Amino acid sequence: MSSHYDFFYFDRHGIALTGRSLLALGGFDWSNKFPENWTEVEKAKTPFGRLPVLIETRADGSKFILAESNAINRYLARKSGLGLLGSNEDEAALIDQYYESWGEIVAKGGRIRRLRDLEPEKYAEQFETFKETVAIPILLRHEEALIKNGTGYYVGDKLSLVDVHATCLITAFGPLLSIEKKYPHLWKLAENVRSLEPVKAEVERYTMPSRT
Amino acid sequence: MPAKYEFYYFNGHGLGIIPRLLLSLGGFDWKDKFVENWKEEKGKTPFTHVPVLTEYSEDGSKFVLAEAYAIYRYLARKMNIVGETEQEVALVEQYCCSWEELHDKYWPLVSDWKKILTPEQFDNCLKKLLETELKPIMTKHEEALAKNGTGFYVGDKMTLADIHATISLPLLNIDGKLISKETHPNLFALHEKLSANDIFQSEAKRFPSNT
């Protein structure tokens, strides 16, 4: 008998779209769990005072609790049975590589976005510099990698974790980074993956905040 | 015949120490390739960054892998130090991700942001990071180590999580003052145990200690 999964996160997309999409795609028995009193009560009970947290309740009643969105995403990808981590060690490493590369864009861009409140004028300049020196060169390489692989997917000839993750990030940040205009293969990948019913349902769960 | 590895990075440690340590600990046949003229070399890397790991197989084929975290997970899998069960693997990754997150927040603050913010803004941001993230999260790590009870993060033997903590602790225990042996005995004991290893020592000494 299989486990039930609770995906514990706020009642919005935030960084949860990949995790929720994987749960939906993998046919897991899962539900969302939203915080009710995060700062006062629930925060202290999580592994690191952060969300998301995945709570797996097994058939025997025991619980496995996992924090850190990237660890959660990889765990679900492995358990999904959909071969989302490739067919061999090399493919698994390449999927990891592209995933981490996206992580870099998100981490660096996210840091600069946080400057908006502190130093709004400097933010605009910094964000332009980030786009020119970090995001664009990296996204170009992702675009080239997709073209070179030639299957419509990042690695091999089927859907992998990074195809799902890239789709979720492109859905969140696409307009901010002009992805539709500049990187047609990345955009097409995102459209294809979003057309999968489970992913579509998760994308549509909330309106994506408009980011400018 | 086993493959040969080339680790392409700067002539210094940074966080390059973790993959270099794994290459040495794992007994891989490897060598460094140092950046000589970054402006020229940058454009030739897979994602405009180093490190990059190149694996040369006996049949002459080459496997090129970028992104530090992907590299060290790849090496750790080859060394079988990623945990034994599905859940252990996930937990090892969880602890590594947690350390990665702290590095990702701390280093940019003290380098890029420091140049952009006023001294007062910088001091406030740093204070907030240390008090609301670094210290409480390292305390959660301490609790997890204590709870596991074996001296290691997961199971009863060394995994990538233990190596990550050993490297990260001195780097993130800012000025050696944020946490101590008295307040976080398990973290310090782990660090002491692993860093006493000959290979840790020799790898650490290869470059002057820097950020």
PDB file of all heavy atoms in Angstrom, chain A residues 20-32:
ATOM      1  N   ARG A  20       4.581  20.654  -6.508  1.00  0.00           N
ATOM      2  CA  ARG A  20       3.166  20.272  -6.675  1.00  0.00           C
ATOM      3  C   ARG A  20       2.953  19.610  -8.031  1.00  0.00           C
ATOM      4  O   ARG A  20       2.200  18.645  -8.156  1.00  0.00           O
ATOM      5  CB  ARG A  20       2.267  21.500  -6.519  1.00  0.00           C
ATOM      6  CG  ARG A  20       2.142  21.988  -5.059  1.00  0.00           C
ATOM      7  CD  ARG A  20       1.313  23.242  -4.962  1.00  0.00           C
ATOM      8  NE  ARG A  20       1.123  23.675  -3.579  1.00  0.00           N
ATOM      9  CZ  ARG A  20       1.139  24.939  -3.182  1.00  0.00           C
ATOM     10  NH1 ARG A  20       1.328  25.914  -4.054  1.00  0.00           N
ATOM     11  NH2 ARG A  20       0.969  25.250  -1.903  1.00  0.00           N
ATOM     12  N   SER A  21       3.641  20.115  -9.058  1.00  0.00           N
ATOM     13  CA  SER A  21       3.506  19.514 -10.400  1.00  0.00           C
ATOM     14  C   SER A  21       4.029  18.081 -10.398  1.00  0.00           C
ATOM     15  O   SER A  21       3.432  17.200 -11.031  1.00  0.00           O
ATOM     16  CB  SER A  21       4.278  20.330 -11.444  1.00  0.00           C
ATOM     17  OG  SER A  21       3.725  21.610 -11.562  1.00  0.00           O
ATOM     18  N   LEU A  22       5.127  17.843  -9.700  1.00  0.00           N
ATOM     19  CA  LEU A  22       5.688  16.485  -9.641  1.00  0.00           C
ATOM     20  C   LEU A  22       4.736  15.537  -8.919  1.00  0.00           C
ATOM     21  O   LEU A  22       4.549  14.388  -9.338  1.00  0.00           O
ATOM     22  CB  LEU A  22       7.042  16.503  -8.926  1.00  0.00           C
ATOM     23  CG  LEU A  22       8.170  17.174  -9.698  1.00  0.00           C
ATOM     24  CD1 LEU A  22       9.381  17.397  -8.792  1.00  0.00           C
ATOM     25  CD2 LEU A  22       8.589  16.331 -10.912  1.00  0.00           C
ATOM     26  N   LEU A  23       4.143  16.024  -7.832  1.00  0.00           N
ATOM     27  CA  LEU A  23       3.182  15.191  -7.101  1.00  0.00           C
ATOM     28  C   LEU A  23       2.014  14.836  -8.009  1.00  0.00           C
ATOM     29  O   LEU A  23       1.549  13.696  -8.048  1.00  0.00           O
ATOM     30  CB  LEU A  23       2.691  15.925  -5.852  1.00  0.00           C
ATOM     31  CG  LEU A  23       3.673  15.916  -4.682  1.00  0.00           C
ATOM     32  CD1 LEU A  23       3.400  17.057  -3.707  1.00  0.00           C
ATOM     33  CD2 LEU A  23       3.627  14.576  -3.946  1.00  0.00           C
ATOM     34  N   ALA A  24       1.554  15.827  -8.781  1.00  0.00           N
ATOM     35  CA  ALA A  24       0.421  15.591  -9.673  1.00  0.00           C
ATOM     36  C   ALA A  24       0.808  14.647 -10.812  1.00  0.00           C
ATOM     37  O   ALA A  24       0.108  13.679 -11.106  1.00  0.00           O
ATOM     38  CB  ALA A  24      -0.078  16.926 -10.220  1.00  0.00           C
ATOM     39  N   LEU A  25       1.961  14.900 -11.437  1.00  0.00           N
ATOM     40  CA  LEU A  25       2.413  14.079 -12.569  1.00  0.00           C
ATOM     41  C   LEU A  25       2.663  12.633 -12.164  1.00  0.00           C
ATOM     42  O   LEU A  25       2.429  11.708 -12.933  1.00  0.00           O
ATOM     43  CB  LEU A  25       3.748  14.624 -13.105  1.00  0.00           C
ATOM     44  CG  LEU A  25       3.704  15.685 -14.190  1.00  0.00           C
ATOM     45  CD1 LEU A  25       5.111  16.230 -14.406  1.00  0.00           C
ATOM     46  CD2 LEU A  25       3.146  15.112 -15.492  1.00  0.00           C
ATOM     47  N   GLY A  26       3.199  12.462 -10.971  1.00  0.00           N
ATOM     48  CA  GLY A  26       3.613  11.126 -10.535  1.00  0.00           C
ATOM     49  C   GLY A  26       2.479  10.278 -10.018  1.00  0.00           C
ATOM     50  O   GLY A  26       2.689   9.140  -9.601  1.00  0.00           O
ATOM     51  N   GLY A  27       1.287  10.834 -10.042  1.00  0.00           N
ATOM     52  CA  GLY A  27       0.135  10.069  -9.566  1.00  0.00           C
ATOM     53  C   GLY A  27       0.210   9.736  -8.084  1.00  0.00           C
ATOM     54  O   GLY A  27      -0.366   8.754  -7.618  1.00  0.00           O
ATOM     55  N   PHE A  28       0.899  10.561  -7.322  1.00  0.00           N
ATOM     56  CA  PHE A  28       0.988  10.322  -5.876  1.00  0.00           C
ATOM     57  C   PHE A  28      -0.361  10.593  -5.218  1.00  0.00           C
ATOM     58  O   PHE A  28      -1.161  11.388  -5.709  1.00  0.00           O
ATOM     59  CB  PHE A  28       2.015  11.269  -5.246  1.00  0.00           C
ATOM     60  CG  PHE A  28       3.439  11.017  -5.686  1.00  0.00           C
ATOM     61  CD1 PHE A  28       3.979  11.676  -6.787  1.00  0.00           C
ATOM     62  CD2 PHE A  28       4.257  10.136  -4.981  1.00  0.00           C
ATOM     63  CE1 PHE A  28       5.292  11.454  -7.182  1.00  0.00           C
ATOM     64  CE2 PHE A  28       5.569   9.913  -5.373  1.00  0.00           C
ATOM     65  CZ  PHE A  28       6.086  10.575  -6.483  1.00  0.00           C
ATOM     66  N   ASP A  29      -0.586   9.962  -4.085  1.00  0.00           N
ATOM     67  CA  ASP A  29      -1.763  10.263  -3.273  1.00  0.00           C
ATOM     68  C   ASP A  29      -1.345  11.440  -2.394  1.00  0.00           C
ATOM     69  O   ASP A  29      -0.592  11.282  -1.437  1.00  0.00           O
ATOM     70  CB  ASP A  29      -2.106   9.031  -2.423  1.00  0.00           C
ATOM     71  CG  ASP A  29      -3.176   9.318  -1.382  1.00  0.00           C
ATOM     72  OD1 ASP A  29      -3.850  10.360  -1.477  1.00  0.00           O
ATOM     73  OD2 ASP A  29      -3.341   8.494  -0.456  1.00  0.00           O
ATOM     74  N   TRP A  30      -1.801  12.644  -2.747  1.00  0.00           N
ATOM     75  CA  TRP A  30      -1.264  13.815  -2.051  1.00  0.00           C
ATOM     76  C   TRP A  30      -2.303  14.880  -1.826  1.00  0.00           C
ATOM     77  O   TRP A  30      -3.338  14.913  -2.477  1.00  0.00           O
ATOM     78  CB  TRP A  30      -0.097  14.410  -2.845  1.00  0.00           C
ATOM     79  CG  TRP A  30      -0.494  15.227  -4.039  1.00  0.00           C
ATOM     80  CD1 TRP A  30      -0.918  14.760  -5.250  1.00  0.00           C
ATOM     81  CD2 TRP A  30      -0.464  16.657  -4.153  1.00  0.00           C
ATOM     82  NE1 TRP A  30      -1.163  15.803  -6.107  1.00  0.00           N
ATOM     83  CE2 TRP A  30      -0.890  16.975  -5.466  1.00  0.00           C
ATOM     84  CE3 TRP A  30      -0.118  17.695  -3.284  1.00  0.00           C
ATOM     85  CZ2 TRP A  30      -0.972  18.304  -5.926  1.00  0.00           C
ATOM     86  CZ3 TRP A  30      -0.185  19.000  -3.739  1.00  0.00           C
ATOM     87  CH2 TRP A  30      -0.626  19.298  -5.049  1.00  0.00           C
ATOM     88  N   SER A  31      -1.986  15.755  -0.865  1.00  0.00           N
ATOM     89  CA  SER A  31      -2.826  16.934  -0.661  1.00  0.00           C
ATOM     90  C   SER A  31      -1.957  18.096  -0.194  1.00  0.00           C
ATOM     91  O   SER A  31      -0.863  17.905   0.318  1.00  0.00           O
ATOM     92  CB  SER A  31      -3.935  16.648   0.348  1.00  0.00           C
ATOM     93  OG  SER A  31      -3.426  15.941   1.450  1.00  0.00           O
ATOM     94  N   ASN A  32      -2.492  19.275  -0.404  1.00  0.00           N
ATOM     95  CA  ASN A  32      -1.835  20.475   0.096  1.00  0.00           C
ATOM     96  C   ASN A  32      -2.132  20.620   1.574  1.00  0.00           C
ATOM     97  O   ASN A  32      -3.214  20.255   2.048  1.00  0.00           O
ATOM     98  CB  ASN A  32      -2.367  21.719  -0.622  1.00  0.00           C
ATOM     99  CG  ASN A  32      -1.682  21.937  -1.942  1.00  0.00           C
ATOM    100  OD1 ASN A  32      -0.455  22.000  -2.029  1.00  0.00           O
ATOM    101  ND2 ASN A  32      -2.460  22.022  -3.002  1.00  0.00           N
TER     102      ASN A  32
END
